[in-house]
């Protein structure tokens, strides 16, 4: 099993640029979660999908953030325009809907200068 | 007030010590309780999972849930340097897929 795959692993960009983070969940999982982790705020849920449909996006900080899941094997998290305060590690996780165990990817380290 | 409170530490113990990690929570709807371990620059991985109240043991690890006190614990016996990591508690209610995480406690086990 390849596990949850995220790309890129590291991203350095300048303020105002668009950033796109990508996630491939574990095959067969039908729930997908996007998290952000910072020292100050810890691990926060941004949005999650069941069967490709967004269920709860209350954690998305503002309109600059958007997430899509066009099919069961791919999701993107986009930040446009990016700001220095968006610097964090972004994790994607997947699970079976209704099951509590979430499997995390290795994360994308984002630095916005 | 945060829904889940966890002392960030850091906690430093000698090898072989018994470690106790704790979280408190405020939402009485939480039914599922988990402990994740996160090594430096890695994603969290599930360590222990408990439904409702009670104890669960897995090798050197024991998870306890006291719903009446809204308090959960993770005990590590005979701690090893390889246990050095950040431990995050997480919990959820039954009607949502949303996990709420604690801040995480950083543990260092010294040889």
């Amino acid at each position: 099993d390849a596990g949850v795959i995220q790309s890129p692993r590291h991203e350095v960009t300048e303020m105002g640029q668009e950033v796109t983070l990508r996630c491939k969940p574990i095959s067969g999982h039908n729930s997908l979660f996007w998290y952000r982790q910072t020292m100050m705020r810890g691990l926060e849920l941004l949005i999650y999908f069941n069967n490709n449909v967004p269920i709860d996006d209350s954690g998305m900080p503002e309109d600059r953030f958007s997430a899509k899941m066009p099919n069961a094997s791919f999701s993107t998290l986009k930040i446009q325009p990016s700001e220095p305060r968006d610097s964090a590690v972004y994790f994607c996780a997947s699970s079976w809907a209704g099951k509590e165990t979430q499997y995390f990817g290795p994360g994308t380290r984002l630095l916005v200068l | 007030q945060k829904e889940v409170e966890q002392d960030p530490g850091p906690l430093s113990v000698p090898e072989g010590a018994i470690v106790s990690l704790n979280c408190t929570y405020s939402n009485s709807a939480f039914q599922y309780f988990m402990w994740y371990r996160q090594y430096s620059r890695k994603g969290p991985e599930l360590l222990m999972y408990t439904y409702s109240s009670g104890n669960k043991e897995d090798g050197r690890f024991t998870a306890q849930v006291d719903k009446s006190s809204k308090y959960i614990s993770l005990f590590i016996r005979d701690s090893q340097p390889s246990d050095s990591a950040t431990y995050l508690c997480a919990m959820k209610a039954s009607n949502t897929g949303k996990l709420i995480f604690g801040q995480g406690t950083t543990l260092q086990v010294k040889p």
Side-chain angles (χ1 to χ4, degrees), chain A residues 2-10 20-26 32-37 43 46 73-77 88-94 103-110, chain B residues 38 41-44:
Chain A
V4 175
I5 299 172
Q6 291 187 247
S7 65
R9 294 293 307 278
H10 303 272
T20 299
L21 311 181
R22 297 172 177 81
C23 176
K24 176 178 169 56
I26 291 173
L32 184 139
F33 306 81
W34 282 103
Y35 291 89
R36 178 172 66 177
Q37 188 175 41
L43 194 61
L46 300 177
S73 59
F74 183 68
S75 178
T76 59
L77 178 68
V89 182
Y90 291 81
F91 289 103
C92 176
S94 70
Y103 296 84
F104 282 76
T108 295
R109 292 184 173 274
L110 173 64
Chain B
Q38 185 176 21
R41 306 183 80 83
K42 301 287 187 183

Short mmCIF file of all heavy atoms in Angstrom, two decimals, chain A residues 2-10 20-26 32-37 43 46 73-77 88-94 103-110, chain B residues 38 41-44:
data_model
loop_
_atom_site.label_atom_id
_atom_site.label_comp_id
_atom_site.label_asym_id
_atom_site.label_seq_id
_atom_site.Cartn_x
_atom_site.Cartn_y
_atom_site.Cartn_z
N ALA A 2 0.65 2.17 -0.94
CA ALA A 2 1.52 3.32 -1.08
C ALA A 2 1.26 4.36 -0.02
O ALA A 2 2.07 5.27 0.17
CB ALA A 2 1.35 3.93 -2.47
N GLY A 3 0.12 4.31 0.65
CA GLY A 3 -0.19 5.35 1.62
C GLY A 3 -0.70 6.59 0.92
O GLY A 3 -0.84 6.64 -0.31
N VAL A 4 -0.95 7.62 1.70
CA VAL A 4 -1.40 8.90 1.16
C VAL A 4 -0.19 9.61 0.53
O VAL A 4 0.87 9.70 1.16
CB VAL A 4 -2.02 9.78 2.25
CG1 VAL A 4 -2.39 11.16 1.70
CG2 VAL A 4 -3.25 9.09 2.85
N ILE A 5 -0.37 10.09 -0.67
CA ILE A 5 0.73 10.75 -1.39
C ILE A 5 0.42 12.23 -1.52
O ILE A 5 -0.68 12.62 -1.94
CB ILE A 5 0.91 10.12 -2.78
CG1 ILE A 5 1.27 8.63 -2.63
CG2 ILE A 5 2.00 10.85 -3.57
CD1 ILE A 5 1.29 7.87 -3.94
N GLN A 6 1.39 13.05 -1.15
CA GLN A 6 1.24 14.50 -1.27
C GLN A 6 2.38 15.07 -2.10
O GLN A 6 3.51 14.59 -2.04
CB GLN A 6 1.26 15.18 0.11
CG GLN A 6 0.05 14.87 0.95
CD GLN A 6 0.03 15.69 2.23
OE1 GLN A 6 0.15 15.15 3.33
NE2 GLN A 6 -0.15 17.00 2.10
N SER A 7 2.04 16.09 -2.86
CA SER A 7 3.06 16.81 -3.62
C SER A 7 2.70 18.28 -3.74
O SER A 7 1.50 18.63 -3.71
CB SER A 7 3.22 16.19 -5.02
OG SER A 7 2.03 16.39 -5.78
N PRO A 8 3.69 19.17 -3.80
CA PRO A 8 5.10 18.87 -3.57
C PRO A 8 5.36 18.63 -2.09
O PRO A 8 4.50 18.87 -1.26
CB PRO A 8 5.78 20.15 -4.06
CG PRO A 8 4.79 21.23 -3.73
CD PRO A 8 3.44 20.62 -4.00
N ARG A 9 6.53 18.18 -1.74
CA ARG A 9 6.87 18.00 -0.33
C ARG A 9 7.31 19.32 0.29
O ARG A 9 7.10 19.54 1.49
CB ARG A 9 7.97 16.95 -0.19
CG ARG A 9 7.55 15.55 -0.59
CD ARG A 9 6.50 14.97 0.37
NE ARG A 9 6.92 15.04 1.74
CZ ARG A 9 7.73 14.16 2.33
NH1 ARG A 9 8.16 13.11 1.64
NH2 ARG A 9 8.07 14.30 3.59
N HIS A 10 7.89 20.16 -0.51
CA HIS A 10 8.32 21.48 -0.06
C HIS A 10 7.95 22.51 -1.11
O HIS A 10 8.04 22.22 -2.32
CB HIS A 10 9.84 21.52 0.17
CG HIS A 10 10.33 20.50 1.14
ND1 HIS A 10 10.40 20.73 2.50
CD2 HIS A 10 10.77 19.24 0.96
CE1 HIS A 10 10.86 19.66 3.10
NE2 HIS A 10 11.09 18.73 2.19
N THR A 20 -0.61 25.58 -5.24
CA THR A 20 -1.50 24.43 -5.36
C THR A 20 -0.84 23.21 -4.74
O THR A 20 0.26 22.81 -5.14
CB THR A 20 -1.85 24.13 -6.83
OG1 THR A 20 -2.51 25.26 -7.39
CG2 THR A 20 -2.78 22.93 -6.91
N LEU A 21 -1.52 22.64 -3.76
CA LEU A 21 -1.05 21.44 -3.10
C LEU A 21 -1.91 20.27 -3.56
O LEU A 21 -3.12 20.42 -3.75
CB LEU A 21 -1.16 21.59 -1.57
CG LEU A 21 -0.57 22.88 -0.97
CD1 LEU A 21 -0.72 22.89 0.53
CD2 LEU A 21 0.87 23.06 -1.39
N ARG A 22 -1.28 19.11 -3.71
CA ARG A 22 -1.97 17.96 -4.29
C ARG A 22 -1.95 16.76 -3.35
O ARG A 22 -1.01 16.59 -2.57
CB ARG A 22 -1.33 17.59 -5.62
CG ARG A 22 -1.45 18.68 -6.66
CD ARG A 22 -0.65 18.38 -7.92
NE ARG A 22 -0.85 19.42 -8.94
CZ ARG A 22 -0.22 20.59 -8.95
NH1 ARG A 22 0.66 20.88 -7.99
NH2 ARG A 22 -0.46 21.45 -9.91
N CYS A 23 -2.98 15.95 -3.45
CA CYS A 23 -3.10 14.79 -2.58
C CYS A 23 -3.74 13.63 -3.32
O CYS A 23 -4.75 13.80 -4.03
CB CYS A 23 -3.94 15.13 -1.35
SG CYS A 23 -4.26 13.72 -0.25
N LYS A 24 -3.16 12.46 -3.13
CA LYS A 24 -3.75 11.22 -3.64
C LYS A 24 -4.06 10.35 -2.43
O LYS A 24 -3.13 9.92 -1.73
CB LYS A 24 -2.80 10.50 -4.58
CG LYS A 24 -3.30 9.15 -5.09
CD LYS A 24 -2.32 8.52 -6.05
CE LYS A 24 -2.67 7.08 -6.36
NZ LYS A 24 -4.05 6.93 -6.90
N PRO A 25 -5.33 10.10 -2.14
CA PRO A 25 -5.66 9.29 -0.94
C PRO A 25 -5.35 7.82 -1.17
O PRO A 25 -5.05 7.39 -2.28
CB PRO A 25 -7.16 9.52 -0.79
CG PRO A 25 -7.65 9.79 -2.18
CD PRO A 25 -6.53 10.53 -2.86
N ILE A 26 -5.44 7.06 -0.09
CA ILE A 26 -5.27 5.61 -0.18
C ILE A 26 -6.41 5.04 -1.02
O ILE A 26 -7.58 5.42 -0.83
CB ILE A 26 -5.23 4.98 1.22
CG1 ILE A 26 -3.95 5.40 1.95
CG2 ILE A 26 -5.33 3.46 1.16
CD1 ILE A 26 -3.88 4.99 3.40
N LEU A 32 -11.68 12.28 2.65
CA LEU A 32 -10.39 12.95 2.52
C LEU A 32 -10.41 14.23 3.33
O LEU A 32 -11.42 14.96 3.34
CB LEU A 32 -10.09 13.26 1.05
CG LEU A 32 -8.71 13.87 0.78
CD1 LEU A 32 -8.08 13.27 -0.47
CD2 LEU A 32 -8.77 15.38 0.68
N PHE A 33 -9.30 14.49 4.02
CA PHE A 33 -9.22 15.61 4.95
C PHE A 33 -7.99 16.45 4.60
O PHE A 33 -6.92 15.90 4.31
CB PHE A 33 -9.07 15.10 6.38
CG PHE A 33 -10.15 14.14 6.80
CD1 PHE A 33 -10.08 12.80 6.44
CD2 PHE A 33 -11.23 14.57 7.56
CE1 PHE A 33 -11.07 11.90 6.83
CE2 PHE A 33 -12.23 13.68 7.95
CZ PHE A 33 -12.14 12.35 7.58
N TRP A 34 -8.10 17.76 4.69
CA TRP A 34 -6.97 18.67 4.59
C TRP A 34 -6.78 19.35 5.95
O TRP A 34 -7.73 19.92 6.51
CB TRP A 34 -7.19 19.74 3.52
CG TRP A 34 -6.98 19.28 2.13
CD1 TRP A 34 -7.92 18.97 1.19
CD2 TRP A 34 -5.70 19.14 1.46
NE1 TRP A 34 -7.32 18.61 0.01
CE2 TRP A 34 -5.96 18.71 0.13
CE3 TRP A 34 -4.37 19.32 1.85
CZ2 TRP A 34 -4.96 18.47 -0.80
CZ3 TRP A 34 -3.39 19.08 0.93
CH2 TRP A 34 -3.67 18.66 -0.37
N TYR A 35 -5.53 19.29 6.46
CA TYR A 35 -5.18 19.91 7.72
C TYR A 35 -4.03 20.90 7.52
O TYR A 35 -3.25 20.78 6.58
CB TYR A 35 -4.68 18.86 8.74
CG TYR A 35 -5.72 17.91 9.26
CD1 TYR A 35 -5.99 16.71 8.60
CD2 TYR A 35 -6.40 18.18 10.45
CE1 TYR A 35 -6.93 15.82 9.10
CE2 TYR A 35 -7.34 17.29 10.95
CZ TYR A 35 -7.60 16.12 10.28
OH TYR A 35 -8.53 15.22 10.78
N ARG A 36 -3.92 21.83 8.46
CA ARG A 36 -2.79 22.74 8.51
C ARG A 36 -2.18 22.65 9.91
O ARG A 36 -2.93 22.64 10.90
CB ARG A 36 -3.25 24.18 8.21
CG ARG A 36 -2.15 25.21 8.29
CD ARG A 36 -2.63 26.57 7.81
NE ARG A 36 -3.65 27.17 8.66
CZ ARG A 36 -4.16 28.36 8.46
NH1 ARG A 36 -3.76 29.09 7.43
NH2 ARG A 36 -5.08 28.83 9.28
N GLN A 37 -0.86 22.58 9.97
CA GLN A 37 -0.19 22.49 11.27
C GLN A 37 0.82 23.61 11.43
O GLN A 37 1.70 23.80 10.59
CB GLN A 37 0.51 21.13 11.43
CG GLN A 37 1.07 20.90 12.84
CD GLN A 37 1.65 19.51 13.01
OE1 GLN A 37 2.32 18.98 12.13
NE2 GLN A 37 1.38 18.88 14.18
N LEU A 43 -2.63 21.37 14.96
CA LEU A 43 -3.18 20.72 13.77
C LEU A 43 -4.65 21.09 13.65
O LEU A 43 -5.47 20.78 14.52
CB LEU A 43 -3.02 19.21 13.92
CG LEU A 43 -3.22 18.33 12.71
CD1 LEU A 43 -2.23 18.67 11.62
CD2 LEU A 43 -3.08 16.86 13.11
N LEU A 46 -9.02 21.87 7.90
CA LEU A 46 -9.47 22.92 6.99
C LEU A 46 -10.78 22.54 6.32
O LEU A 46 -11.74 23.31 6.30
CB LEU A 46 -8.39 23.19 5.93
CG LEU A 46 -7.03 23.64 6.45
CD1 LEU A 46 -6.06 23.79 5.30
CD2 LEU A 46 -7.15 24.95 7.21
N SER A 73 -9.57 9.78 -6.44
CA SER A 73 -8.14 9.55 -6.25
C SER A 73 -7.31 10.82 -6.30
O SER A 73 -6.08 10.75 -6.39
CB SER A 73 -7.63 8.55 -7.30
OG SER A 73 -7.87 9.05 -8.60
N PHE A 74 -7.96 11.99 -6.22
CA PHE A 74 -7.17 13.21 -6.35
C PHE A 74 -7.89 14.39 -5.70
O PHE A 74 -9.10 14.58 -5.88
CB PHE A 74 -6.92 13.51 -7.83
CG PHE A 74 -6.06 14.70 -8.09
CD1 PHE A 74 -4.71 14.71 -7.73
CD2 PHE A 74 -6.58 15.85 -8.68
CE1 PHE A 74 -3.92 15.81 -7.97
CE2 PHE A 74 -5.79 16.96 -8.93
CZ PHE A 74 -4.45 16.94 -8.57
N SER A 75 -7.11 15.20 -4.98
CA SER A 75 -7.66 16.42 -4.40
C SER A 75 -6.60 17.51 -4.46
O SER A 75 -5.40 17.22 -4.43
CB SER A 75 -8.09 16.20 -2.95
OG SER A 75 -8.58 17.40 -2.37
N THR A 76 -7.05 18.75 -4.53
CA THR A 76 -6.14 19.89 -4.51
C THR A 76 -6.59 20.90 -3.46
O THR A 76 -7.78 21.05 -3.18
CB THR A 76 -6.07 20.61 -5.86
OG1 THR A 76 -7.38 21.07 -6.22
CG2 THR A 76 -5.53 19.70 -6.94
N LEU A 77 -5.61 21.57 -2.89
CA LEU A 77 -5.84 22.71 -2.00
C LEU A 77 -5.10 23.89 -2.61
O LEU A 77 -3.89 23.80 -2.83
CB LEU A 77 -5.33 22.42 -0.59
CG LEU A 77 -5.49 23.56 0.43
CD1 LEU A 77 -6.96 23.82 0.75
CD2 LEU A 77 -4.72 23.24 1.72
N ALA A 88 3.18 27.07 6.72
CA ALA A 88 2.76 25.99 7.62
C ALA A 88 3.07 24.66 6.94
O ALA A 88 3.55 24.63 5.80
CB ALA A 88 1.26 26.07 7.91
N VAL A 89 2.79 23.58 7.65
CA VAL A 89 2.81 22.25 7.03
C VAL A 89 1.37 21.85 6.78
O VAL A 89 0.53 21.89 7.69
CB VAL A 89 3.50 21.20 7.92
CG1 VAL A 89 3.55 19.86 7.20
CG2 VAL A 89 4.91 21.65 8.29
N TYR A 90 1.08 21.48 5.56
CA TYR A 90 -0.27 21.09 5.16
C TYR A 90 -0.30 19.57 4.97
O TYR A 90 0.48 19.01 4.21
CB TYR A 90 -0.69 21.81 3.87
CG TYR A 90 -0.89 23.29 4.09
CD1 TYR A 90 0.20 24.17 4.11
CD2 TYR A 90 -2.16 23.82 4.30
CE1 TYR A 90 0.02 25.53 4.34
CE2 TYR A 90 -2.35 25.17 4.53
CZ TYR A 90 -1.25 26.02 4.55
OH TYR A 90 -1.43 27.36 4.77
N PHE A 91 -1.22 18.94 5.70
CA PHE A 91 -1.36 17.50 5.63
C PHE A 91 -2.67 17.12 4.96
O PHE A 91 -3.70 17.77 5.16
CB PHE A 91 -1.34 16.88 7.03
CG PHE A 91 -0.01 16.89 7.71
CD1 PHE A 91 0.28 17.81 8.70
CD2 PHE A 91 0.96 15.97 7.36
CE1 PHE A 91 1.51 17.82 9.33
CE2 PHE A 91 2.21 15.97 7.98
CZ PHE A 91 2.48 16.89 8.97
N CYS A 92 -2.61 16.05 4.23
CA CYS A 92 -3.79 15.41 3.69
C CYS A 92 -3.94 14.07 4.40
O CYS A 92 -2.93 13.40 4.70
CB CYS A 92 -3.63 15.21 2.19
SG CYS A 92 -4.96 14.31 1.38
N ALA A 93 -5.15 13.67 4.70
CA ALA A 93 -5.41 12.37 5.33
C ALA A 93 -6.62 11.75 4.66
O ALA A 93 -7.47 12.45 4.10
CB ALA A 93 -5.67 12.55 6.83
N SER A 94 -6.70 10.42 4.72
CA SER A 94 -7.86 9.74 4.15
C SER A 94 -8.34 8.62 5.08
O SER A 94 -7.58 8.16 5.94
CB SER A 94 -7.56 9.20 2.75
OG SER A 94 -6.66 8.11 2.79
N TYR A 103 -5.52 8.20 7.98
CA TYR A 103 -4.14 7.94 7.59
C TYR A 103 -3.59 9.21 6.95
O TYR A 103 -4.16 9.70 5.96
CB TYR A 103 -4.07 6.76 6.63
CG TYR A 103 -4.53 5.47 7.27
CD1 TYR A 103 -5.88 5.14 7.32
CD2 TYR A 103 -3.62 4.59 7.84
CE1 TYR A 103 -6.32 3.98 7.92
CE2 TYR A 103 -4.06 3.41 8.44
CZ TYR A 103 -5.40 3.12 8.48
OH TYR A 103 -5.83 1.97 9.07
N PHE A 104 -2.49 9.69 7.50
CA PHE A 104 -1.93 10.96 7.08
C PHE A 104 -0.84 10.76 6.03
O PHE A 104 -0.07 9.79 6.07
CB PHE A 104 -1.34 11.71 8.27
CG PHE A 104 -2.37 12.39 9.12
CD1 PHE A 104 -3.17 11.66 10.00
CD2 PHE A 104 -2.56 13.76 9.05
CE1 PHE A 104 -4.13 12.29 10.79
CE2 PHE A 104 -3.52 14.40 9.84
CZ PHE A 104 -4.30 13.66 10.70
N GLY A 105 -0.74 11.74 5.15
CA GLY A 105 0.37 11.81 4.23
C GLY A 105 1.58 12.45 4.90
O GLY A 105 1.51 12.85 6.07
N PRO A 106 2.68 12.58 4.17
CA PRO A 106 3.92 13.13 4.75
C PRO A 106 3.90 14.64 4.91
O PRO A 106 4.77 15.21 5.57
CB PRO A 106 4.99 12.71 3.75
CG PRO A 106 4.26 12.60 2.46
CD PRO A 106 2.88 12.11 2.79
N GLY A 107 2.92 15.30 4.29
CA GLY A 107 2.81 16.75 4.44
C GLY A 107 3.55 17.53 3.36
O GLY A 107 4.47 17.02 2.71
N THR A 108 3.09 18.76 3.17
CA THR A 108 3.77 19.73 2.30
C THR A 108 4.19 20.91 3.17
O THR A 108 3.33 21.53 3.81
CB THR A 108 2.85 20.24 1.17
OG1 THR A 108 2.51 19.17 0.31
CG2 THR A 108 3.54 21.36 0.39
N ARG A 109 5.49 21.19 3.18
CA ARG A 109 5.99 22.34 3.94
C ARG A 109 5.96 23.56 3.05
O ARG A 109 6.67 23.61 2.05
CB ARG A 109 7.41 22.08 4.43
CG ARG A 109 7.47 21.01 5.48
CD ARG A 109 8.87 20.81 6.05
NE ARG A 109 8.79 19.88 7.15
CZ ARG A 109 8.52 20.23 8.41
NH1 ARG A 109 8.35 21.51 8.69
NH2 ARG A 109 8.43 19.33 9.36
N LEU A 110 5.13 24.52 3.40
CA LEU A 110 4.96 25.72 2.60
C LEU A 110 5.59 26.90 3.30
O LEU A 110 5.32 27.16 4.48
CB LEU A 110 3.47 26.00 2.36
CG LEU A 110 3.13 27.31 1.67
CD1 LEU A 110 3.67 27.33 0.25
CD2 LEU A 110 1.63 27.57 1.67
N GLN B 38 3.65 11.55 16.23
CA GLN B 38 4.23 12.26 15.09
C GLN B 38 5.73 12.44 15.32
O GLN B 38 6.15 13.17 16.22
CB GLN B 38 3.55 13.63 14.91
CG GLN B 38 4.02 14.38 13.68
CD GLN B 38 3.27 15.69 13.45
OE1 GLN B 38 2.69 16.25 14.38
NE2 GLN B 38 3.28 16.17 12.22
N ARG B 41 9.16 15.99 11.35
CA ARG B 41 9.06 16.15 9.91
C ARG B 41 8.33 14.98 9.23
O ARG B 41 8.57 14.68 8.05
CB ARG B 41 10.44 16.36 9.29
CG ARG B 41 11.21 17.51 9.93
CD ARG B 41 12.54 17.76 9.27
NE ARG B 41 12.40 18.51 8.03
CZ ARG B 41 12.30 19.83 7.95
NH1 ARG B 41 12.31 20.57 9.04
NH2 ARG B 41 12.20 20.43 6.78
N LYS B 42 7.44 14.35 9.97
CA LYS B 42 6.60 13.29 9.42
C LYS B 42 5.13 13.59 9.69
O LYS B 42 4.81 14.49 10.48
CB LYS B 42 6.95 11.94 10.06
CG LYS B 42 8.39 11.51 9.89
CD LYS B 42 8.66 11.07 8.48
CE LYS B 42 10.07 10.47 8.37
NZ LYS B 42 10.38 10.10 6.98
N GLY B 43 4.24 12.83 9.04
CA GLY B 43 2.82 12.97 9.33
C GLY B 43 2.45 12.18 10.57
O GLY B 43 3.12 11.22 10.95
N PRO B 44 1.35 12.58 11.23
CA PRO B 44 0.88 11.80 12.40
C PRO B 44 0.48 10.39 11.99
O PRO B 44 -0.06 10.17 10.90
CB PRO B 44 -0.34 12.60 12.87
CG PRO B 44 -0.19 13.97 12.28
CD PRO B 44 0.51 13.76 10.98
#
